[in-house]
């Protein structure tokens, strides 16, 4: 029960609820309404961007589980996305198995490979771990490019249209149908991650992040926790990779370079480390940045003619600036800004 | 396999290794003094190459003046970066500090692209281009000179750390910041100085690399190889960067020459994984690995 002095639980059920106040439930309803209205409001181009955001949400949530909640640094996201994408494409395309099986295989295999590359985390911390995952990134992408059996040595695989329980997704209105699928998957991923941190496994992730010795003293198996964190996080990332493969109907190693790993890290930094909502905000923000810049540059093209050819360079610069400025001025990200806005509204007209 | 190819590959590998050692030296300087992992080291190389190109070709300055201009720009860049990007993050978590240098790298790369575009620029050779014959192999003179220049610069740095007041102050701060502060050493000045020196060593590396290849945005990709070098040599060891640089340079050239050029690109990273498993503090690093 929410009062002016805070939230006071009077029953076990109310304590279990994810949304506790009327305002929270109202906002959730608004978000759901907005999500349902989305395909009717935006055009196909922007809907395709929304779809890439939904895929990025899944990956960013996964990365935040590892980096934000468990405190392990990983610059290998691109490589793990590649594992998911190639696995799902190969199982679906060559073995002709149903899409659900392909995606499940992708999730499991990426989780296993993630856990394997997470093994150095048992001995290494901070920078050393970052470099170990950097090596994972470089090696995985190399294997994807050059392994004959996997991709014929070209690093490309075409994927046939996505069929879900007999429904060929995207046969009609491509973006709208995919929007429906991705919205459900992203929603489930966010819901699962949110609940993960109400279980003992999720709590042990945070305990290891805050103080691993203290966590061990409380009976948390640090070894198991770290490997599990890598596995769970990579599972989400593998799912994002598999979705990319089926949505774009082609898998190419160029989509999984180091830049992608950095992009995903930027998402969770801008959104807010160690928050699920932050992963969503960050994924949306960083995915919207390039198209918004492009649109802005098109709008002012008349007055600044050289802008179009300088756009790629400008994109890179703005991308870097966003990371640097957020880290200096708002290290807790968009989620914290939103938190402050809510606090301001709650106590208005008094200052917090 | 004959002696000729072997000698050629060795010289190429040593030249690559020397440039890598210079780039890694800057990285190690920053890490030792400030405990910051600089992911923008490759971009420092890029900026070094482009400033020299601008001074030498676009402004038409003589070589020595162009080098001095490059040094001034590098020092200014190092000091500005330290003051306005890294200092606000003192005491933040490792991931924040790493990511701020990643962001910085993107900004620097983007700005360079805004100014100079993506086309490779040809620069008139600074080092003489002829060949010399050693052991029956015709060796490009400029690669040998790269080795000499890199060796001179590395020795100059070593002397600076041994003999000069500032060099000793930097080593003191790297050794024990608290103790150095009580002896009246300004840690802030040392931080600024290590960033400036790192930028200068990257400038030399960038100019040498641009001279034996071309001035292109690809100079950045060389920066990624700094990580295998420093892990191999030990994060906090200046001598280690030289050995690490040479090992990485040679192994890349040998694998490329005798086996497969594509595979050669990931050899440094395979070496890196192996060394992380066996000796995470590197060949020469202090055995003071972080508690995990």
């Amino acid at each position: 029960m929410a009062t002016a002095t805070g939230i006071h639980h009077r029953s076990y059920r109310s304590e279990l609820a994810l949304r506790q106040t009327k305002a929270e439930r109202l906002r959730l309803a608004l978000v759901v309404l907005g999500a349902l209205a989305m395909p009717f409001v935006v055009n196909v181009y922007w809907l395709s961007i929304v779809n890439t955001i939904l895929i990025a949400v899944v990956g960013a949530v996964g990365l935040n589980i590892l980096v934000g909640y468990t405190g392990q640094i990983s610059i290998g996201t691109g490589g793990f996305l590649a594992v998911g994408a190639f696995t799902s494409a190969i199982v679906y395309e060559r073995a002709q198995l149903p899409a659900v099986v392909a995606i499940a295989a992708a999730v499991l295999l990426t989780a296993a490979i993630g856990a394997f590359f997470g093994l150095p985390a048992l001995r290494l911390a901070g920078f050393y771990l970052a470099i170990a995952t950097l090596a994972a990134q470089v090696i995985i992408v190399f294997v994807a490019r050059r392994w004959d059996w996997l991709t014929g040595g070209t690093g490309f695989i075409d994927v046939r249209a996505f069929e879900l329980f007999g429904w060929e997704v995207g046969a009609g209105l491509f973006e709208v149908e995919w929007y429906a699928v991705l919205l459900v998957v992203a929603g489930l991923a966010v819901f699962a991650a949110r609940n993960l941190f109400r279980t003992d496994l999720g709590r042990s992730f945070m305990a290891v992040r805050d103080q691993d010795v203290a966590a061990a003293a409380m009976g948390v198996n640090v070894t198991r926790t770290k490997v599990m964190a890598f596995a769970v996080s990579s599972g989400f990332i593998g799912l994002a990779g598999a979705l990319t493969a089926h949505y774009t109907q082609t898998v190419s190693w160029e989509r999984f370079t180091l830049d992608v790993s950095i992009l995903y890290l930027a998402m969770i930094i801008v959104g807010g480390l160690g928050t699920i909502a932050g992963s969503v905000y960050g994924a949306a923000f960083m995915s919207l940045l390039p198209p918004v810049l492009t649109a802005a540059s098109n709008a002012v093209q008349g007055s600044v003619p050289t802008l179009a050819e300088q756009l790629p360079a400008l994109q890179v610069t703005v991308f870097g600036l966003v990371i640097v400025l957020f880290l200096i001025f708002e290290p807790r990200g968009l989620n914290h800004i939103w938190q402050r806005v809510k606090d301001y509204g709650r106590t208005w007209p008094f200052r917090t | 396999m004959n002696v000729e190819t072997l000698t050629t590959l060795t010289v190429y590998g040593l030249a690559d290794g020397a440039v890598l050692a210079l780039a890694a030296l800057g990285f190690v300087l920053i890490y030792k003094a400030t405990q910051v992992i600089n992911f923008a080291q490759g971009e420092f190389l890029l900026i070094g190459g482009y400033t020299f190109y601008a001074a030498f070709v676009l402004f038409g300055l003589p070589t020595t003046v162009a080098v001095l201009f490059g040094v001034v720009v590098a020092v200014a860049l190092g000091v500005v970066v330290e003051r306005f990007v890294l200092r606000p993050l003192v005491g933040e978590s490792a991931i924040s500090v790493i990511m701020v240098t990643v962001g910085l790298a993107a900004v620097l790369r983007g700005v360079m692209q805004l100014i100079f575009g993506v086309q490779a620029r040809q620069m008139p050779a600074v080092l003489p281009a002829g060949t010399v014959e050693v052991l029956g192999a015709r060796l490009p003179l400029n690669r040998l000179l790269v080795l000499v220049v890199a060796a001179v610069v590395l020795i100059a740095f070593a002397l600076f750390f041994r003999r000069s007041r500032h060099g000793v102050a930097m080593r003191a701060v790297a050794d024990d910041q608290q103790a150095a502060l009580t002896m009246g050493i300004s840690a802030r000045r040392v931080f600024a100085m290590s960033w400036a020196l790192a930028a200068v060593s990257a400038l030399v590396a960038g100019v040498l690399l641009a001279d034996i290849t071309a001035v292109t945005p690809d100079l950045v990709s060389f920066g990624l190889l700094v990580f295998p070098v420093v892990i191999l040599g030990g994060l906090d060891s200046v001598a280690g960067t030289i050995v690490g640089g040479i090992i990485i340079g040679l192994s890349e050239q040998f694998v490329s020459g005798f086996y497969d050029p594509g595979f050669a690109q990931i050899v440094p990273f395979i070496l890196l994984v192996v060394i992380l498993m066996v000796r995470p503090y590197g060949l020469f690093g202090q055995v003071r690995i972080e508690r995990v």
Side-chain angles (χ1 to χ4, degrees):
Chain A
M1 184 182 164
T3 66
T5 55
I7 298 165
H8 304 285
H9 296 291
R10 290 191 186 157
S11 69
Y12 188 55
R13 255 195 67 208
S14 92
E15 218 164 346
L16 277 182
L18 269 173
R19 305 278 149 182
Q20 276 141 356
T21 63
K22 270 189 194 136
E24 276 177 332
R25 282 191 285 268
L26 179 68
R27 280 199 297 269
L28 182 67
L30 285 178
V31 169
V32 170
L33 268 180
L36 291 179
M38 185 78 79
F40 305 102
V41 182
V42 299
N43 63 22
V44 174
Y45 168 70
W46 287 100
L47 197 58
S48 76
I49 289 163
V50 172
N51 282 343
T52 56
I53 292 176
L54 290 173
I55 296 178
V57 163
V58 178
V61 164
L63 187 62
N64 218 339
I65 291 174
L66 183 66
V67 180
Y69 281 100
T70 321
Q72 310 293 310
I73 305 174
S74 165
I75 340 184
T77 317
F80 298 135
L81 282 169
V83 173
F86 279 104
T87 310
S88 192
I90 285 170
V91 172
Y92 187 61
E93 192 64 26
R94 301 232 183 111
Q96 297 283 327
L97 289 171
V100 182
V101 178
I103 292 179
V107 170
L108 291 177
L109 187 69
T110 317
I113 290 184
F116 173 76
F117 277 105
L119 288 179
L122 306 179
R123 288 186 65 193
L124 308 170
F127 167 66
Y128 287 91
L129 180 61
I131 295 304
T133 56
L134 172 69
Q137 160 79 40
V138 175
I139 292 170
I140 290 175
V141 170
F142 177 81
V143 168
R145 274 178 77 177
R146 299 290 295 272
W147 193 2
D148 276 348
W149 177 82
L150 200 66
T151 63
T154 57
F156 297 96
I157 296 182
D158 279 329
V159 188
R160 72 194 149 92
F162 188 63
E163 210 179 292
L164 201 64
F165 306 118
W167 169 41
E168 194 184 323
V169 179
L173 293 162
F174 184 83
E175 299 294 351
V176 178
E177 288 175 20
W178 266 104
Y179 175 75
V181 172
L182 292 175
L183 187 65
V184 170
V185 175
L188 284 176
V190 168
F191 184 67
R194 186 79 168 73
N195 273 305
L196 174 66
F197 294 100
R198 291 145 63 93
T199 67
D200 58 344
L201 182 67
R203 294 272 158 87
S204 65
F205 287 174
M206 288 187 276
V208 167
R209 170 194 65 190
D210 293 337
Q211 231 318 330
D212 52 354
V213 174
M218 304 279 288
V220 173
N221 185 338
V222 176
T223 310
R224 182 173 159 275
T225 306
K226 281 187 180 174
V227 174
M228 278 304 283
F230 267 92
V232 171
S233 153
S234 305
F236 278 86
I237 294 170
L239 175 60
L243 291 173
T244 315
H246 294 294
Y247 172 61
T248 57
Q249 302 195 340
T250 171
V251 188
S252 143
W253 66 271
E254 286 162 334
R255 277 176 188 278
F256 308 112
T257 55
L258 183 61
D259 293 341
V260 177
S261 307
I262 291 171
L263 173 66
Y264 272 89
L265 277 173
M267 285 176 191
I268 62 172
I269 296 245
V270 166
L273 284 175
T275 59
I276 296 297
S279 322
V280 180
Y281 306 149
F285 188 93
M286 294 313 285
S287 311
L288 280 174
L289 196 57
V292 166
L293 273 179
T294 311
S297 117
N298 286 340
V300 297
Q301 204 169 18
S303 44
V304 196
T306 56
L307 202 60
E309 57 189 86
Q310 291 285 29
L311 192 61
L314 203 63
Q315 305 263 25
V316 178
T317 315
V318 172
F319 172 76
L321 266 182
V322 165
I323 300 178
V324 172
L325 294 178
F326 260 98
L327 279 170
I328 293 177
F329 296 109
E330 187 53 275
R332 282 148 83 192
L334 289 168
N335 187 57
H336 190 231
I337 294 180
W338 174 228
Q339 214 74 43
R340 285 211 312 262
V341 169
K342 280 191 294 193
D343 286 348
Y344 184 84
R346 182 153 49 230
T347 55
W348 191 85
F350 303 108
R351 297 247 184 97
T352 41
Chain B
M1 154 168 142
N2 53 23
V3 183
E4 204 183 309
T5 356
L6 191 65
T7 337
T8 315
L9 289 178
T10 311
V11 170
Y12 273 73
L14 286 176
D16 280 3
V19 176
L20 275 176
L22 275 175
L25 174 70
F27 184 92
V28 169
L29 278 181
I30 291 172
Y31 181 77
K32 272 183 85 121
T34 66
Q35 315 291 311
V36 168
I37 305 301
N38 182 19
F39 265 75
Q41 195 66 18
E43 278 68 17
F44 279 13
L45 240 77
L46 182 77
I47 290 186
Y50 271 118
T51 24
F52 180 76
Y53 167 81
F56 188 56
V57 179
L58 300 183
F59 305 156
L61 299 172
T63 318
T64 39
V65 184
V67 170
L68 276 181
F69 175 76
V71 170
V72 171
V73 171
V75 168
L77 175 74
V79 170
V80 167
V81 163
E82 196 277 330
R83 177 65 190 83
F84 294 105
V85 180
L86 270 306
R87 203 175 291 171
L89 288 184
V90 167
E92 292 282 336
S93 67
I95 174 81
S96 302
V97 178
I98 287 180
M99 276 311 284
V100 87
T101 65
V102 169
L104 175 71
V107 174
L108 296 178
R109 205 178 330 132
V111 170
M112 285 294 112
Q113 199 178 326
L114 279 175
I115 302 173
F116 295 101
V118 289
Q119 293 294 317
R121 308 275 184 127
Q122 276 306 317
M123 188 165 68
V126 182
L127 303 170
T131 55
V132 283
E133 216 169 287
V134 182
L135 293 170
R138 297 177 61 78
L139 300 174
L141 190 57
N142 58 2
R143 305 253 168 190
L144 291 172
L145 284 172
V146 162
L147 261 178
V148 176
V149 174
V152 169
V153 174
L154 285 169
I155 290 170
F157 268 105
L159 283 178
F160 171 78
F161 289 122
R162 292 244 163 268
R163 308 272 168 190
S164 85
R165 250 164 60 90
H166 293 300
V168 173
M170 286 179 73
R171 278 166 52 209
V173 171
D175 210 39
D176 188 333
Q177 199 170 318
Q178 296 273 320
L181 284 170
T182 59
M183 302 302 287
I185 295 171
S186 161
R188 287 185 169 189
R189 191 189 301 162
V190 167
F191 288 177
M193 205 152 44
S194 36
W195 277 88
L197 285 181
V200 170
S201 76
L203 162 87
V204 180
V207 172
L208 291 178
L209 196 62
D211 196 59
I212 50 179
T213 57
V215 192
T216 76
D218 286 342
L219 291 181
V220 168
S221 58
F222 216 71
L224 212 55
L225 287 177
V226 164
F227 296 114
V229 171
V230 294
I231 294 282
L232 207 58
L235 256 187
D236 48 10
S237 160
V238 174
T241 62
I242 300 172
V243 179
I246 287 172
I247 293 178
I248 296 290
L250 281 179
S251 56
E252 227 194 339
Q253 285 293 340
F254 283 145
V255 173
S256 167
F258 292 123
Y259 179 60
D260 175 3
F263 185 66
Q265 287 176 356
I266 64 159
V267 163
F269 292 95
I270 294 176
L271 278 176
L272 183 150
V273 172
V274 172
I275 203 89
L276 277 180
M277 299 280 173
V278 188
R279 240 181 114 89
Y281 38 87
L283 298 173
F284 294 92
Q286 272 184 35
V287 188
R288 196 175 50 183
I289 190 100
E290 285 167 76
R291 178 189 60 78
V292 277

